[in-house]
Amino acid sequence: MERKWDYKTSLWVDWCPGCGNFGILTAVVKAFEELGLDPSKTVIVSGIGCSSKIPHFVNVNGVHTLHGRAIPFAMGIKLANPELTVIVHGGDGDLLGIGAGHFVALGRRNLDIVVIMHNNGVYGLTKGQASPTLPLGVKTKALAKPNIQQAVNPILLALASGYTFVARGYAFESTHLKNLIKMAIKHRGAAFIDVLQPCITFNDVFTAEFYRKAIYKLDDDPSWDPVVRKPEEAREKLLKSIEKSLEWGDRIPIGVFYVNEYVLTFEERLNKRLYKYPAINPSNATIEINGKSILSQQEFEELFKDYIVVVER
Amino acid sequence: MFILKEIGIILGGPQGAGLETSMAILGRALTRKGYGVIADREYFSNITGRHSYIHMLISSTKLPRSLGYPVEILASIDAETVFTHFKDVAEKGVVIYDKNQLDKNIDNVPSMEDYTRERIKIILARLGVNPTIENIVSYLEKERNVVPIEIDFISIIRKITERFKIDPRQASRYVSGLIVSAISIVIGLEEKFVRYGFEQQFRERRHLIEHNMALYELVYDSIATFRNIVKVDAPRIALNKLMILTGNDAIAIAKIIAGVRYQSYYPITPAADESFTIEKYEYNEVNGKAVGPIVVMQTEDEIAAICSAIGASLSGARSSTATSGPGFDLMVEGISFAGANEVPVVITYYQRGGPSTGQPTRGSQSDLMNAVFAAHGEFARVVLSSGDHVEAFHDTVEAFNIAEKYQVPVIHLLDKFLANMIASVPVPDIDRVKIERGKIVFSRSNYKRFDLSNLISPRAYLGADNIVMWHSGDEHDEYGHIVEDPENRLKMYSKRIEKMKLVLEETPSDIKMGVYGDKNPDYIIVGWGSVKGVALDAIEMLGDRIKLCYINMKLLWPFPQKEFLEIVKDIPRDRIIAVEHSHGVNIASLIAMSTGITIDRKIAKFTGRPITLNEFIEAIEKIVYRNEKRMVLAYGA
Ligand SMILES: Cc1ncc(C[n+]2csc(CCOP(=O)(O)OP(=O)(O)O)c2C)c(N)n1
Ligand code: SF4
Ligand SMILES: [Mg+2]
């Protein structure tokens, strides 16, 4: 692209003023700019929720799907055309409530997709019900009674599921978040970023003020090295990051928890079976010649000979 | 000894005893000699022990389309088979049984359901027969002139295990070969064809060919006197090359040829075998031409199956998923998304018995309304059904063409009968395969995915050069951005629905329906899917007494009202008979809402077993001669 591409669309962004999603949008746009992503080869796939409106605000391909289902849509998009950079955005309800099964499945596959979770502790778009990341006993504004369900730990779940890049960011630490996003995009394999996102309208407990006091950067500790540098280190690094993931409350770490590039990506696993994949893939394989089958009658019969019986008179 | 044009066989035994293997070996061996073969497989939702059976028809004159009772041969691996099917053996037929089961009493068959046992006991009591194999065999011999053929399974198999030093725990593996041998001997199928069957089946385990041929010789020596006892006539079918395959396989092969490059599934009976077959062929080269790669994804659930198939389609792959009722229910929201975003995707829907888990391994056509109407909102979709293996092959290709030309979800509605039925069919004519991908844009600035200037907005694939586009499940503008403006809503909503008119206008009439039989019929029978074979045989057999026509409905939605009305215009309304494997015979309701014609003569079957020729003919006769309105069929174990 010769001219500088504007990664922001001209649409009016209809989040509540002060919403953490603005910080995330800024970080995404900046990360794309710095990476110089080709907008026609980049796809943002989202679910449903306040957060999931983000594809409309970013000037790359956008697929705004169903509540909880962004990951399977993204998987189909990526598997069919592995050349694309595919980024999933979703809310905490979207990814860890209704879509939790898909979240786990993506980790198991280690497909080269980035998942960015807008973690606001509530179901924003349906007016503030408790989300799966809201701790037990917490009563946010719109709740009639304190939350009776326990929170799931997104970092721990991502690690347990097999994501090979796991990080946490904060919506209003835009530069830090932008760097995480860039790293996640460059990572080969399934990457997850849990983004703490204040919801100014419905979450009066986990507010910007709360986070400003609680968060600290993992990077500030020079001895923190989350990257698996040789395969034998994987277990030890994983255990350390699991331990780190348990920190919550007064001190909440942000930054990279775990990176392991020694796990085969799904594309690599497919390559062992599909031979020319990903270069030749479902989106570019020849399936017809002038509207006809690529196989002649004879070739068809050769390919499916196991089903063919020649009558012996 | 007598010679027949066609022979019906029931071959039964416990689940896990290798009946499917027997079916495949026999099917290939018979086809090799030039016979036409069709076989239904009936089984429980169980892996080991429950009663399963193959119902097969061998024809010397044609490729058979339907099954019927009684059968000439009852070949049993266990006692339960004899108890369950003895009444289905024809006069002068044959019962093959294991000598070691002779004194077995029905009360000592734990795998049999209590309900079934009581039912059979009542029948036997009425006949005055004590419920043991010995008594049933002698009843069949005396009262029905059935020839009993006794085989000592244990001693024959022991000889094999001893000769080849096979671990006796593996002995049960040889039962399928034993029964295949016995049937072949009885019907006069020559040794070389039996050998061919074994060779094809055990291509990758060649030692088993030798073992099974040795088995064949032992069985031969043991029952030589019964050779040719129900001989099937020499084949007179003018085809030199046939395919023998299940419906699942026919569709899998068709998908590969149609260009499917992404197939997703979550395991479910009776759909999963289709994906297995595709996976087997995920990448091949023929004459240097690559066929593939096909990504076959076993997803975490059916929701992911449909959503990922839609995703793959957005990237430009021909994509599909296969499932049955419970899985389809989970896919419904995804289908609604495909409708809203005009994404081509094919859902191959094999109906089984519902509701809920229902009868997971039995057939049904009770999901017609589910396929046509499930999902919120209104949008264009196409529901296509196929009457047999050959139709299913070509319709599969057509399903993708329709999906891509009109940018709609296409539901290819089939059922368990077709899925599991093996049939010998002509090799499909590949020249007939047309691949139409619709209007596609490869590069354009200011591209609008949902351009309103045409009912069909040219499609671009994600990743197309210089194109940036949006899709949204929310109502959207031409670019795909969320817009709730009422005027935009009116245009966008209507456009999506009105595409159905194009489908009706442009789809060739043979894809809409097939009309068979008399040009000036006394009665018209209307059905769809797996009813076709039995309906065609019935109208042929009744032809000299009742002039009948069969309409095989294929395009079920949008309903081809005009063509349907044209066919039925001269027939009095009370002379239309609808038939379906369901309670409601719901095709009648679909016709009523689409054409205003009410059909009140119905033939229904919802036991999970396919409609057989004998009961279908009887039902038509009762409707025609005795003015019956509703016939509920229940034949078959
Ligand atoms: C199948 C389905 N169920 C329910 C909804 C309603 N719904 C819309 S958004 C939402 C929750 C959003 O919460 P979250 O995913 O955390 O996103 P946020 O709005 O907080 O960004 C729900 C339940 C829906 N769209 N689809
Ligand atoms: S409701 Fe909360 S999450 Fe949604 S836009 Fe408003 S502040 Fe943001
Ligand atoms: Mg939320």
Side-chain angles (χ1 to χ4, degrees):
Chain A
M1 220 124 316
E2 307 277 297
R3 206 159 42 82
K4 200 166 164 278
W5 181 262
D6 192 352
Y7 285 92
K8 188 102 176 17
T9 59
S10 55
L11 267 68
W12 182 64
V13 181
D14 63 354
W15 288 317
C16 309
C19 173
N21 283 330
F22 284 100
I24 301 175
L25 176 60
T26 307
V28 168
V29 167
K30 197 91 183 107
F32 285 14
E33 253 168 39
E34 289 182 14
L35 291 172
L37 294 184
D38 179 345
S40 57
K41 309 284 176 205
T42 307
V43 191
I44 295 186
V45 187
S46 69
I48 294 291
C50 296
S51 42
S52 287
K53 290 184 181 178
I54 197 167
H56 298 284
F57 310 136
V58 185
N59 202 6
V60 301
N61 290 303
V63 186
H64 183 183
T65 69
L66 299 170
H67 191 36
R69 315 303 170 201
I71 288 176
F73 276 95
M75 176 174 80
I77 290 168
K78 178 74 180 177
L79 286 171
N81 185 354
E83 196 203 339
L84 300 173
T85 299
V86 179
I87 296 138
V88 166
H89 281 267
D92 40 7
D94 194 274
L95 289 166
L96 298 184
I98 191 166
H102 311 306
F103 181 84
V104 171
L106 179 59
R108 292 175 51 214
R109 295 179 185 130
N110 197 31
L111 185 63
D112 190 12
I113 286 179
V114 178
V115 177
I116 300 177
M117 187 176 84
H118 301 220
N119 182 352
N120 58 5
V122 291
Y123 281 26
L125 198 58
T126 46
K127 300 195 174 220
Q129 299 87 349
S131 90
T133 60
L134 192 71
L136 178 69
V138 171
K139 187 186 158 323
T140 49
K141 227 185 199 162
L143 299 185
K145 298 280 162 70
N147 186 17
I148 197 167
Q149 306 189 59
Q150 240 164 268
V152 63
N153 180 331
I155 301 286
L156 195 53
L157 184 61
L159 292 169
S161 304
Y163 284 79
T164 50
F165 178 99
V166 179
R168 181 187 282 138
Y170 173 49
F172 292 130
E173 283 280 354
S174 230
T175 307
H176 180 260
L177 178 57
K178 173 209 72 186
N179 288 332
L180 291 180
I181 295 172
K182 282 170 69 178
M183 279 188 264
I185 291 174
K186 284 196 256 178
H187 174 76
R188 286 172 35 263
F192 173 62
I193 310 176
D194 173 25
V195 186
L196 306 171
Q197 175 236 320
C199 165
I200 194 146
T201 308
F202 294 115
N203 195 333
D204 52 347
V205 177
F206 297 103
T207 57
E209 195 171 330
F210 167 85
Y211 284 129
R212 202 171 303 123
K213 285 184 198 143
I215 60 170
Y216 75 94
K217 294 191 179 119
L218 286 166
D219 279 355
D220 291 347
D221 173 2
S223 74
W224 177 251
D225 178 13
V227 181
V228 175
R229 305 209 179 258
K230 33 187 201 299
E232 311 84 78
E233 276 181 17
R235 183 189 152 84
E236 180 202 328
K237 292 264 155 110
L238 187 61
L239 285 171
K240 278 200 178 133
S241 59
I242 287 172
E243 194 179 16
K244 207 56 166 169
S245 76
L246 301 177
E247 281 183 28
W248 183 262
D250 297 345
R251 278 179 63 74
I252 302 173
I254 62 170
V256 179
F257 281 74
Y258 183 68
V259 184
N260 184 357
E261 293 221 340
Y262 291 102
V263 180
L264 284 185
T265 64
F266 202 75
E267 292 85 332
E268 287 162 343
R269 295 174 211 178
L270 278 179
N271 171 264
K272 301 201 170 190
R273 287 174 34 172
L274 300 177
Y275 177 53
K276 285 176 181 160
Y277 189 93
I280 307 293
N281 57 57
S283 77
N284 65 9
T286 307
I287 65 163
E288 47 94 26
I289 298 163
N290 299 324
K292 290 282 192 190
S293 162
I294 50 177
L295 297 184
S296 66
Q297 186 74 29
Q298 209 186 358
E299 289 160 346
F300 170 83
E301 290 176 18
E302 170 60 24
L303 181 57
F304 296 109
K305 60 176 182 292
D306 286 1
Y307 296 92
I308 292 177
V309 175
V310 177
V311 176
E312 189 186 314
R313 297 281 174 207
Chain B
M1 158 174 157
F2 55 115
I3 299 177
L4 296 168
K5 273 208 309 206
E6 45 184 51
I7 290 183
I9 303 175
I10 293 276
L11 163 54
Q15 188 81 316
L19 283 185
E20 223 184 322
T21 310
S22 305
M23 172 165 92
I25 298 167
L26 257 184
R28 286 216 183 89
L30 290 160
T31 310
R32 178 71 162 177
K33 188 168 169 188
Y35 291 119
V37 178
I38 191 169
D40 172 49
R41 189 159 68 86
E42 291 295 330
Y43 53 103
F44 280 78
S45 180
N46 155 268
I47 303 303
T48 308
R50 289 271 183 202
H51 176 60
S52 68
Y53 67 94
I54 310 290
H55 186 181
M56 182 182 270
L57 190 77
I58 307 167
S59 171
S60 59
T61 55
K62 61 177 192 182
L63 301 179
R65 311 179 276 208
S66 71
L67 294 161
Y69 289 105
V71 293
E72 281 69 33
I73 299 173
L74 170 58
S76 65
I77 285 174
D78 63 357
E80 187 167 356
T81 302
V82 178
F83 289 123
T84 311
H85 301 279
F86 77 91
K87 32 179 215 321
D88 296 326
V89 188
E91 277 278 323
K92 298 189 187 151
V94 164
V95 56
I96 301 170
Y97 61 94
D98 179 5
K99 181 182 179 187
N100 307 287
Q101 303 284 340
L102 265 180
D103 57 356
K104 186 78 141 233
N105 189 298
I106 197 165
D107 286 323
N108 299 327
V109 181
S111 53
M112 186 180 266
E113 288 177 349
D114 292 344
Y115 198 106
T116 308
R117 185 184 352 264
E118 293 313 310
R119 199 160 46 77
I120 293 172
K121 273 175 146 176
I122 292 169
I123 295 169
L124 286 169
R126 268 197 223 121
L127 296 170
V129 178
N130 278 330
T132 68
I133 299 299
E134 190 168 13
N135 286 307
I136 291 179
V137 168
S138 91
Y139 159 80
L140 288 173
E141 189 176 11
K142 291 203 190 89
E143 306 290 326
R144 310 261 288 270
N145 297 314
V146 168
V147 181
I149 301 181
E150 188 171 287
I151 300 177
D152 187 342
F153 281 42
I154 295 178
S155 94
I156 286 184
I157 291 178
R158 189 183 303 125
K159 284 185 192 146
I160 292 294
T161 53
E162 280 168 5
R163 185 182 325 160
F164 295 101
K165 311 218 171 354
I166 298 160
D167 183 341
R169 282 170 305 183
Q170 306 257 305
S172 64
R173 279 226 231 148
Y174 294 89
V175 173
S176 58
L178 187 154
I179 205 79
V180 164
S181 302
I183 293 171
S184 307
I185 293 159
V186 167
I187 64 173
L189 184 68
E190 292 79 352
E191 182 181 332
K192 63 176 178 180
F193 298 114
V194 181
R195 172 178 283 281
Y196 174 83
F198 286 135
E199 279 172 357
Q200 294 297 306
Q201 184 66 26
F202 301 122
R203 260 176 304 229
E204 272 127 46
R205 288 166 294 164
R206 299 205 62 88
H207 61 285
L208 290 179
I209 301 169
E210 190 195 346
H211 298 180
N212 277 285
M213 283 314 294
L215 188 60
Y216 172 82
E217 270 154 38
L218 289 174
V219 177
Y220 193 97
D221 292 344
S222 137
I223 63 167
T225 47
F226 299 108
R227 213 182 118 219
N228 291 347
I229 193 153
V230 278
K231 190 170 169 57
V232 57
D233 210 352
R236 269 171 288 146
I237 300 168
L239 284 167
N240 293 321
K241 206 187 269 177
L242 290 158
M243 273 187 120
I244 180 152
L245 72 188
T246 64
N248 284 142
D249 288 336
I251 291 170
I253 293 170
K255 284 189 174 183
I256 296 166
I257 291 304
V260 162
R261 293 300 173 261
Y262 184 83
Q263 159 102 354
S264 55
Y265 78 105
Y266 185 78
I268 193 164
T269 308
D273 288 355
E274 179 199 301
S275 301
F276 263 57
T277 301
I278 300 177
E279 192 168 2
K280 222 167 73 190
Y281 289 90
E282 63 185 2
Y283 186 82
N284 277 288
E285 284 177 17
V286 194
N287 275 349
K289 292 179 192 167
V291 182
I294 308 170
V295 174
V296 178
M297 268 309 277
Q298 182 187 331
T299 54
E300 56 275 23
D301 55 31
E302 285 87 350
I303 298 173
I306 184 71
C307 294
S308 66
I310 294 169
S313 177
L314 291 174
S315 287
R318 272 206 155 176
S319 83
S320 67
T321 180
T323 190
S324 66
F328 183 85
D329 289 357
L330 290 186
M331 292 185 181
V332 168
E333 195 190 7
I335 293 170
S336 181
F337 179 94
N341 282 281
E342 310 190 44
V343 190
V345 64
V346 172
I347 301 113
T348 311
Y349 184 168
Y350 296 94
Q351 297 161 96
R352 60 189 221 184
S356 190
T357 307
Q359 300 199 120
T361 59
R362 309 289 178 178
S364 148
Q365 295 182 291
S366 52
D367 297 349
L368 171 63
M369 294 305 191
N370 199 33
V372 173
F373 296 116
H376 60 290
E378 302 150 284
F379 57 89
R381 82 174 78 190
V382 171
V383 181
L384 192 64
S385 83
S386 307
D388 55 40
H389 292 53
V390 176
E391 267 183 27
F393 181 91
H394 292 289
D395 293 344
T396 298
V397 179
E398 196 57 33
F400 288 96
N401 291 342
I402 293 174
E404 293 199 319
K405 276 195 296 190
Y406 305 103
Q407 305 176 10
V408 290
V410 175
I411 296 153
H412 191 188
L413 189 59
L414 304 152
D415 56 42
K416 177 262 163 181
F417 304 124
L418 178 109
N420 289 164
M421 186 102 65
I422 63 160
S424 52
V425 298
V427 178
D429 177 3
I430 296 308
D431 273 348
R432 249 187 82 189
V433 172
K434 273 197 306 185
I435 296 175
E436 300 169 281
R437 305 213 60 184
K439 291 185 206 163
I440 299 161
V441 173
F442 293 99
S443 173
R444 178 182 299 169
S445 55
N446 196 32
Y447 170 73
K448 295 186 211 166
R449 170 65 190 92
F450 304 102
D451 186 348
L452 279 168
S453 56
N454 250 308
L455 274 188
I456 309 288
S457 323
R459 203 155 77 96
Y461 306 141
L462 287 172
D465 291 336
N466 304 317
I467 285 181
V468 173
M469 61 183 157
W470 288 267
H471 289 81
S472 174
D474 289 64
E475 189 55 275
H476 40 257
D477 62 13
E478 292 182 294
Y479 292 97
H481 284 308
I482 304 175
V483 159
E484 299 200 12
D485 178 81
E487 191 180 301
N488 176 79
R489 167 71 168 175
L490 190 116
K491 289 184 187 159
M492 202 51 89
Y493 198 80
S494 310
K495 162 195 193 269
R496 284 192 299 257
I497 294 170
E498 283 164 15
K499 291 193 292 185
M500 289 221 277
K501 281 196 293 207
L502 293 183
V503 175
L504 278 179
E505 278 164 27
E506 296 172 2
T507 302
S509 61
D510 63 323
I511 299 293
K512 288 178 174 157
M513 60 186 75
V515 184
Y516 303 85
D518 209 289
K519 294 274 179 292
N520 295 298
D522 300 328
Y523 283 82
I524 289 182
I525 303 169
V526 187
W528 57 283
S530 290
V531 174
K532 182 186 170 190
V534 73
L536 297 195
D537 281 344
I539 63 174
E540 222 171 86
M541 287 187 70
L542 286 166
D544 49 356
R545 283 182 290 147
I546 315 167
K547 289 193 289 170
L548 292 167
C549 151
Y550 179 65
I551 307 179
N552 171 36
M553 288 305 310
K554 286 164 59 64
L555 182 64
L556 297 167
W557 199 258
F559 192 86
Q561 179 206 39
K562 207 177 75 195
E563 291 84 350
F564 185 83
L565 285 172
E566 179 60 28
I567 298 165
V568 300
K569 69 175 188 304
D570 295 328
I571 196 102
R573 297 298 177 251
D574 64 348
R575 290 191 166 214
I576 305 177
I577 305 167
V579 52
E580 192 172 272
H581 290 95
S582 72
H583 185 278
V585 191
N586 303 305
I587 186 73
S589 309
L590 200 68
I591 291 170
M593 71 168 278
S594 306
T595 66
I597 292 177
T598 47
I599 299 174
D600 58 3
R601 305 215 178 229
K602 292 172 186 165
I603 301 174
K605 185 167 186 179
F606 45 93
T607 58
R609 281 67 170 174
I611 297 176
T612 55
L613 189 56
N614 51 308
E615 62 179 348
F616 194 53
I617 286 179
E618 201 182 308
I620 295 170
E621 286 173 336
K622 282 192 177 152
I623 289 174
V624 173
Y625 298 130
R626 292 213 243 130
N627 205 24
E628 294 281 352
K629 285 233 151 82
R630 178 177 165 84
M631 296 299 306
V632 176
L633 312 182
Y635 215 98

